[in-house]
Amino acid sequence: MKYPAIEINLSKIRRNTEIVVNICKNYGIDVVGVTKVSNGSVDLAKAYIEGGVRILGDSRIENLKAYESLPVRKMLIRIPMLSEAEDVVRYADISLNSEIEVIRALSREAEKIGKVHEIILMIDVGDLREGIYYENEVFETVEEILKLKGVKLTGIGTNLTCFGAIIPSRENLGRLVDIKDKIERKFNISIEVISGGNSSSLCLIQKDEMPKGINQLRIGTALILGLIEVTWTRIAGTYIDAFKLIAEIVEIKRKPSKPIGEVAMDAFRNVPVFEDEGEMIRAICAIGKQDCDPNFMEPVDKRIRILGSSSDHLILDITKCKDDYKVGDTISFVLDYVAILRCMTSNHINKYAVEKGKVAYAVEEGK
Ligand SMILES: *Cc1c(COP(=O)(O)O)cnc(C)c1O
């Protein structure tokens, strides 16, 4: 193994996926497996599929392109750029949309290659990221979409707890169900899908308050970490440590805990504050802020404390570890979502898949 390395335990991802897919199935909800944290890892996508996912969702078209040969449908979950319409209809079967200009472009491109591209029209019910604000031009937009030949209005959807940090509720997701009913009556069509948000919407299943009619969720975090962030709860039986970062120690020294001399700004323009805790044994690992984020990772060895990091150095307090570590040894970290995203998109981190009974192998990535 080359370091720094991130290890993806595919058995754990598969198990997390099975659990979440089954919970949702009991509520008549399909899971779109969101892969955007993995930089187009085909191995992770396959683990989702083996866990029961039938649609893969990603925010980047290059990642969906990497999944081209996988036998499931693909959804682009970031509203498309006008300039990428051609690739969107080529590599995605479905996309989330809010701009009629873009939808027209998708329709034109789809017609050119003899496809019908599916649209989920995004409606903003309060989080104020993407989507048509629910009181505004929803019906006018539907009317325009229905005139187009290259696209099909498969569903409506929303996203919550991303920008405005708004918690999914019976009220805000209920709005989506109301709008679906109104569209169906007004235009005499049927809308197959109501895509009711991301992992945070699972909190409504926890409270048994999921509005009837929501039949799809787009889920990343709950598959990766088994975590529902909005209630800060774990889903029973899931693993939080399917991803592990392994970094190599390049220095171990006894030093004071408080820097010596006059304080200016650190490498990231912050003025650091340090307590004097006396002498400590400090280790440096060869990894830094450009690859990871010290605020979103935790050493597996609970005796170790992260002191901070600069671009390329992670500084640890290993005073409590006696002589257990030497230069050249490695230290493992469990990662939160943000840290996984950073690691997986860093060119400097080596990515390996591990599985029960198999030797670790390098994962196949997108672009
Ligand atoms: C990232 C994203 C998701 C998945 O979010 P999680 O909280 O990781 O489940 C779903 N939908 C959209 C539009 C997203 O951008």
Side-chain angles (χ1 to χ4, degrees):
M1 218 177 237
K2 276 182 75 185
Y3 304 113
I6 188 166
E7 227 181 57
I8 314 174
N9 186 315
L10 297 174
S11 316
K12 290 183 178 179
I13 292 290
R14 211 176 287 128
R15 186 72 194 123
N16 287 359
T17 307
E18 280 166 5
I19 289 172
V20 174
V21 165
N22 279 328
I23 290 172
C24 289
K25 199 181 270 170
N26 289 334
Y27 281 78
I29 292 174
D30 271 342
V31 172
V32 176
V34 173
T35 51
K36 69 185 180 202
V37 77
S38 76
N39 201 30
S41 158
V42 174
D43 303 86
L44 181 106
K46 283 182 182 161
Y48 275 8
I49 294 169
E50 286 156 10
V53 155
R54 292 289 158 262
I55 307 176
L56 293 173
D58 205 290
S59 50
R60 313 276 168 141
I61 206 72
E62 303 84 43
N63 292 348
L64 292 180
K65 197 170 165 181
Y67 309 146
E68 198 177 4
S69 65
L70 300 178
V72 289
R73 304 206 306 149
K74 288 106 196 166
M75 175 189 276
L76 181 67
I77 63 167
R78 181 173 68 189
I79 48 173
M81 294 186 268
L82 193 52
S83 61
E84 67 182 347
E86 187 182 344
D87 281 344
V88 174
V89 300
R90 195 169 298 273
Y91 299 110
D93 304 289
I94 316 158
S95 57
L96 307 183
N97 283 276
S98 62
E99 290 288 348
I100 190 65
E101 261 323 293
V102 176
I103 298 169
R104 286 195 187 108
L106 294 172
S107 180
R108 275 195 302 275
E109 294 300 333
E111 276 194 273
K112 273 189 208 162
I113 58 169
K115 274 193 183 173
V116 175
H117 182 76
E118 296 186 29
I119 301 287
I120 304 270
L121 184 64
M122 292 301 274
I123 296 169
D124 192 329
V125 294
D127 199 56
L128 305 188
R129 200 178 74 177
E130 75 274 48
I132 301 171
Y133 189 60
Y134 70 100
E135 292 181 332
N136 296 349
E137 71 280 13
V138 174
F139 301 105
E140 292 86 333
T141 309
V142 169
E143 190 168 3
E144 291 304 305
I145 295 173
L146 295 177
K147 292 177 187 162
L148 302 170
K149 294 212 177 64
V151 294
K152 174 183 172 210
L153 182 64
T154 293
I156 60 172
T158 198
N159 197 57
L160 285 160
T161 340
C162 264
F163 183 71
I166 297 301
I167 299 170
S169 66
R170 198 179 267 181
E171 192 187 7
N172 55 29
L173 285 189
R175 271 179 207 138
L176 209 56
V177 179
D178 282 350
I179 290 171
K180 179 234 182 199
D181 291 343
K182 283 189 185 134
I183 293 173
E184 289 189 329
R185 278 200 304 272
K186 193 169 160 72
F187 297 99
N188 195 23
I189 54 172
S190 84
I191 298 283
E192 287 163 38
V193 174
I194 307 186
S195 192
N198 53 40
S199 296
S200 68
S201 294
L202 291 170
C203 75
L204 292 179
I205 289 184
Q206 289 181 308
K207 292 191 275 190
D208 203 21
E209 286 185 6
M210 183 62 83
K212 216 169 131 49
I214 303 292
N215 60 6
Q216 180 185 86
L217 295 178
R218 307 174 307 270
I219 299 194
T221 310
L223 304 185
I224 299 288
L225 298 172
L227 183 69
I228 304 174
E229 284 165 313
V230 68
T231 48
W232 211 251
T233 47
R234 298 281 317 286
I235 299 164
T238 57
Y239 297 94
I240 200 162
D241 60 350
F243 283 77
K244 214 178 275 177
L245 174 67
I246 308 166
E248 185 171 333
I249 302 172
V250 290
E251 179 185 295
I252 297 179
K253 300 282 181 210
R254 182 176 289 278
K255 290 187 194 182
S257 45
K258 193 173 162 70
I260 295 57
E262 201 179 332
V263 175
M265 286 186 287
D266 69 12
F268 282 80
R269 310 279 185 270
N270 303 306
V271 178
V273 179
F274 296 97
E275 298 292 321
D276 189 353
E277 302 170 42
E279 270 203 335
M280 54 169 70
I281 302 171
R282 299 160 71 98
I284 296 177
C285 285
I287 188 167
K289 279 192 180 148
Q290 66 172 311
D291 316 296
C292 204
D293 188 326
N295 294 322
F296 294 92
M297 53 200 266
E298 215 173 275
V300 172
D301 183 340
K302 296 287 172 234
R303 300 171 303 175
I304 300 175
R305 183 162 59 118
I306 297 176
L307 295 170
S309 74
S310 57
S311 314
D312 300 290
H313 301 75
L314 177 70
I315 299 122
L316 306 171
D317 172 7
I318 61 164
T319 311
K320 289 186 183 153
C321 305
K322 303 189 195 95
D323 293 329
D324 290 353
Y325 293 99
K326 58 181 191 308
V327 168
D329 285 351
T330 60
I331 292 183
S332 297
F333 301 86
V334 174
L335 306 175
D336 199 353
Y337 193 86
V338 176
I340 296 172
L341 181 70
R342 281 278 191 88
C343 287
M344 290 303 292
T345 51
S346 168
N347 280 334
H348 303 279
I349 302 231
N350 303 284
K351 291 124 196 161
Y352 297 96
V354 294
E355 255 182 288
K356 252 200 220 132
K358 279 196 195 168
V359 184
Y361 58 96
V363 304
E364 196 184 322
E365 283 180 85
K367 207 174 72 160

